[in-house]
Amino acid sequence: FVITGAAGSIVSATTQDLARAAGGGTFHLLDLVSAPDPDDPDLERFVSDKEGLKSELIERIKGGGERPTPKLVERELARIERARAGLDAIDAIRAAGGESRWHQVDLTEAAAVGEALAELRGERVDVLLHCAGLDVSHFLPDKPQREYDLVFDVKVDGWFALLHALRDCEIG
């Protein structure tokens, strides 16, 4: 399995379902963010006490000398949520008897994608899910060119980088 956007909540749920249905397998999980730290207490707290975590994040931000704006707090919560989703996927893969390999990679950098997936050369890839993407919501006429290019490049250039990196693989 090769899955991009692995820390996305919907992608995580899909990965969990795939792991259970397949009864394991090797999952190559690609995302722009680093692998989640299973020892990070914020990841558990996100599930068990999200409001308490939010209050603590406000205090941490204040302690760092910044003003804890709602946008800043929400950005940090979103980072923790993505890490939690990634960890949930990894845990489900292991529970199903599978193995996960996390690859922190920018999909718009073809050489980096090739390097991340080099161990798959000549192997069979049964499932390839390209779910990476960015949500920069604006009506198209209002979207700055830079934002359009970023959203487009992750999907399209990322897809071509994946196909190029897996060119010697049999894709199921």
Side-chain angles (χ1 to χ4, degrees), residues 7 9 23 39 51 59 61 75 91 100 122 130 140 156 158 164:
S9 59
D39 297 324
E51 286 306 311
E59 294 306 314
I61 293 167
R75 186 180 315 141
D91 288 346
S100 67
H130 180 39
L140 192 55
V156 177
H164 183 73

Side-chain angles (χ1 to χ4, degrees), residues 50-69:
K50 189 174 179 180
E51 286 306 311
L53 175 60
K54 189 173 182 177
S55 296
E56 187 174 318
L57 290 174
I58 291 169
E59 294 306 314
R60 285 184 205 168
I61 293 167
K62 284 180 185 176
E66 293 185 73
R67 195 172 123 245
T69 63

Side-chain angles (χ1 to χ4, degrees), residues 115-138:
E115 186 177 311
L117 298 177
E119 69 184 89
L120 292 176
R121 287 196 182 107
E123 298 291 326
R124 177 178 168 81
V125 174
D126 294 305
V127 175
L128 172 59
L129 289 178
H130 180 39
C131 302
L134 299 170
D135 180 18
V136 185
S137 297
H138 291 104

Side-chain angles (χ1 to χ4, degrees), residues 90-164:
I90 291 168
D91 288 346
I93 291 165
R94 288 187 183 137
E99 178 183 350
S100 67
R101 296 189 184 144
W102 192 277
H103 305 276
Q104 181 180 4
V105 65
D106 182 339
L107 292 173
T108 65
E109 295 178 13
V113 175
E115 186 177 311
L117 298 177
E119 69 184 89
L120 292 176
R121 287 196 182 107
E123 298 291 326
R124 177 178 168 81
V125 174
D126 294 305
V127 175
L128 172 59
L129 289 178
H130 180 39
C131 302
L134 299 170
D135 180 18
V136 185
S137 297
H138 291 104
F139 288 113
L140 192 55
D142 299 333
K143 188 179 289 287
Q145 186 66 44
R146 183 183 61 73
E147 285 181 5
Y148 176 85
D149 290 344
L150 184 59
V151 171
F152 184 85
D153 291 352
V154 169
K155 281 296 186 192
V156 177
D157 291 345
W159 178 244
F160 285 115
L162 283 168
L163 291 179
H164 183 73

